[in-house]
């Protein structure tokens, strides 16, 4: 068993932000007040005429309140909010950075006018897409100067979100404008301070981009030699990623009828409608009107697209319900997100696995059955909590063959969304992934071997923590040379 300490620094930052948000929006009443404040800001004069900036502000605040800090990255925002492809080039398409810069200026304008009477104050620190939300009694307003000094002290932790010198200049200019000081000497000092700050930020940006490109090159080299990416990226055939279908999982919950991969392939999403009440039938039809992926799928797809881009490989992303069986019967490589209940296509490859998802009617959840338990392994692994609860759950990561084809298939699925998120974190964390596979007896330099990993994780408020590798099996069959 290999203990994995995932993203300790990022987790600590997220925990701190969660605590900060809990201070200002710790109850449903507080959240309602904050949401009303956001609505007032968006409908105010500062945001008038900029629907896109209003949407951006609403999105980042909603994600922060929900604790979804992983969704507050440039590429994820581009995909989720602006409809970009997960593999889009953030260097060429700066819509997120440009919109963030505009939101910063509009927030400064709003609070420059209404800050003295505002209970909440929202800001977007340079180099970040995570909003800072402060709360104070309207009778004791937070000084604008103190808030700006605090925010400008934030440092960028991700090169792709680092502020450009132009954004820095805009923010400094707006700050100087809203905090105009009488006296020419003091004004000159402020102007020289602004120039010095812009120059310093320019140097910082150059240094950050240099570090970014070095990291980018190292990541490309690591992906090229680390399973399963070495098999998926170095192949001549396309790589296709298939997201889950949470509406299908929900339909199965309402109807009590499992949907097989055969039913799914034939678009038979409600196998026995005559056995259902009119109300349940209508509800299922409403669910079928949508075709959305799980919330956790987008960050995973973005992370995989970044790895692929570093290796000069593109990823084609498809919704599970838009895929036909014939699409899978090719020599392409595939990544499938979700368990067979949320992505029935995963069942097409399950017969190669020792660990298999099984739906347990008594507990109303998926469990994992171990068909060939080894010493100290259990015959089945049962989560202690459903999704968005506190407890323990499980997930699978597996690299298998595509039957009768030459391509490879990577399966990433959890008994709930948190499990799938945990599987995505492991598979895109190359150093930890390499260590795990080495412990399983799989050499990065050796022939390709198919494998499956059983993950155990703790859940708290929708986030996976303390992720461990419970078991590792090398799958039978001749390794590919």
């Amino acid at each position: 068993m290999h203990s994995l300490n995932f993203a300790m620094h990022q987790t600590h930052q997220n925990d701190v932000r969660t605590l900060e948000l809990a201070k200002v929006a710790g109850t449903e009443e507080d959240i309602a007040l904050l949401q009303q404040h956001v609505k007032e800001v968006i409908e105010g004069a500062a945001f008038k005429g900029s629907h896109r900036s209003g949407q951006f502000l609403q999105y980042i605040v909603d994600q922060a309140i929900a604790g979804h800090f992983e969704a507050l990255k440039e590429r994820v925002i581009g995909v989720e909010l602006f409809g970009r492809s997960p593999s889009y080039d953030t260097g060429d398409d700066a819509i997120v950075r440009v919109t963030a810069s505009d939101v910063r200026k509009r927030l400064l304008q709003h609070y420059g006018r209404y800050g003295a009477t505002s209970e909440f104050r929202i800001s977007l620190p340079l180099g970040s897409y995570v909003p800072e939300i402060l709360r104070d009694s309207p009778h004791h307003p937070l000084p604008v100067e103190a808030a700006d000094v605090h925010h400008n002290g934030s440092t960028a932790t991700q090169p792709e979100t680092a502020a450009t010198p132009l954004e820095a200049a805009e923010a400094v200019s707006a700050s100087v404008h809203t905090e105009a000081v009488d006296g020419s000497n003091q004004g000159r000092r402020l102007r020289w301070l602004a120039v010095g700050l812009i120059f310093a930020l320019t140097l910082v940006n150059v240094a950050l981009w240099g570090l970014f490109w070095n990291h980018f090159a190292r990541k490309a080299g690591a992906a090229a030699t680390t399973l399963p990416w070495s098999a998926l990226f170095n192949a001549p055939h396309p790589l296709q990623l298939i997201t889950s279908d949470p509406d299908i999982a929900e339909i199965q919950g309402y109807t009590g009828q499992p949907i097989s991969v055969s039913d799914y392939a034939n678009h038979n999403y409600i196998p026995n409608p005559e056995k259902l009440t009119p109300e349940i039938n209508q509800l299922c039809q409403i669910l079928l009107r949508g075709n959305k992926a799980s919330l956790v799928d987008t960050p995973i797809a973005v992370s995989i697209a970044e790895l692929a881009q570093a290796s000069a490989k593109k990823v084609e992303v498809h919704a599970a319900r838009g895929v036909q069986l014939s699409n899978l019967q090719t020599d392409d490589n595939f990544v499938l997100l979700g368990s067979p209940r949320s992505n029935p296509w995963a069942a097409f490859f399950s017969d190669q696995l020792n660990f298999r998802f099984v739906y347990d009617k008594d507990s109303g959840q998926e469990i994992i059955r171990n068909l060939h338990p080894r010493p100290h392994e259990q015959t089945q692994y049962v989560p202690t909590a459903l999704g968005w609860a506190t407890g323990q759950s499980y997930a699978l990561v597996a690299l298998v063959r595509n039957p009768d084809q030459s391509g490879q298939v990577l399966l990433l699925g959890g008994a709930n969304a948190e499990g799938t998120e945990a599987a995505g974190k492991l598979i895109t964390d190359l150093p930890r992934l390499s260590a795990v596979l080495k412990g399983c007896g799989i050499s990065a330099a050796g022939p390709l071997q198919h494998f499956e990993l059983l993950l155990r994780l703790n859940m708290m408020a929708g986030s996976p923590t303390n992720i461990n590798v419970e078991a590792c099996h090398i799958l039978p069959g001749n390794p590919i040379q």
Side-chain angles (χ1 to χ4, degrees), residues 377-401:
E377 292 182 356
Q378 302 175 30
T379 56
Q380 61 183 24
Y381 296 84
V382 182
T384 59
L386 298 174
W388 287 92
T390 298
Q392 191 175 86
S393 190
Y394 297 92
L396 291 179
V397 172
L399 179 66
V400 299
R401 297 176 184 272

Side-chain angles (χ1 to χ4, degrees), residues 21-213:
L21 281 169
K23 294 177 183 178
V24 299
T27 67
E28 291 185 5
E29 182 180 357
D30 293 334
I31 293 174
L33 288 172
L34 175 57
Q35 291 173 333
Q36 177 61 32
H37 175 72
V38 173
K39 183 173 183 291
E40 292 171 355
V41 172
I42 292 173
E43 294 177 351
F47 278 79
K48 186 177 181 180
S50 182
H51 179 65
R52 187 171 72 186
S53 291
Q55 282 185 314
F56 186 97
L57 179 62
Q58 185 74 64
Y59 175 86
I60 62 174
V61 172
D62 287 347
Q63 296 300 327
I65 291 174
H68 297 153
F69 299 110
E70 73 283 352
L72 295 175
K73 296 173 60 178
E74 179 178 5
R75 192 181 298 272
V76 176
I77 296 173
V79 172
E80 286 287 313
L81 189 61
F82 298 121
R84 299 309 196 254
S85 164
S87 58
Y88 89 101
D89 191 337
T90 57
D92 292 338
D93 189 341
I95 186 171
V96 176
R97 297 192 298 277
V98 170
T99 306
S101 178
D102 186 66
V103 168
R104 290 186 185 101
K105 290 188 295 182
R106 292 177 186 274
L107 286 173
L108 282 170
Q109 293 170 13
H110 175 85
Y111 291 111
R113 183 174 182 180
Y114 301 108
T117 58
S118 178
E119 182 176 358
F120 294 94
R121 184 181 181 89
I122 304 169
S123 65
L124 186 59
L126 293 173
S128 175
Y129 299 121
V130 179
E132 288 189 357
I133 304 172
L134 302 179
R135 187 177 188 182
D136 196 36
S137 168
H139 303 294
H140 303 284
L142 180 71
V144 174
E145 294 84 356
D148 288 339
V149 169
H150 173 69
H151 297 157
N152 289 340
S154 298
T155 57
T157 58
Q158 296 178 14
E160 74 168 7
T161 63
T164 66
L166 177 60
E167 289 176 334
E170 290 170 342
V172 171
S173 174
S175 178
V176 172
H177 175 73
T178 57
E179 298 173 13
V181 182
D182 293 334
S184 59
N185 291 336
Q186 195 164 5
R188 282 195 294 271
R189 285 197 297 271
L190 279 176
R191 286 193 292 273
W192 279 111
L193 177 62
V195 172
L197 180 58
I198 293 169
F199 180 72
L201 286 172
T202 301
L203 293 178
V204 169
N205 270 273
V206 171
L208 284 174
W209 278 110
L211 290 172
F212 167 69
W213 285 114

Side-chain angles (χ1 to χ4, degrees), residues 5-16 425 464-465:
N5 191 359
F6 279 97
M8 292 185 294
H9 179 66
Q10 187 64 44
T11 300
H12 173 70
Q13 284 188 326
N14 291 348
D15 290 344
V16 170
K425 286 185 175 182
T465 60

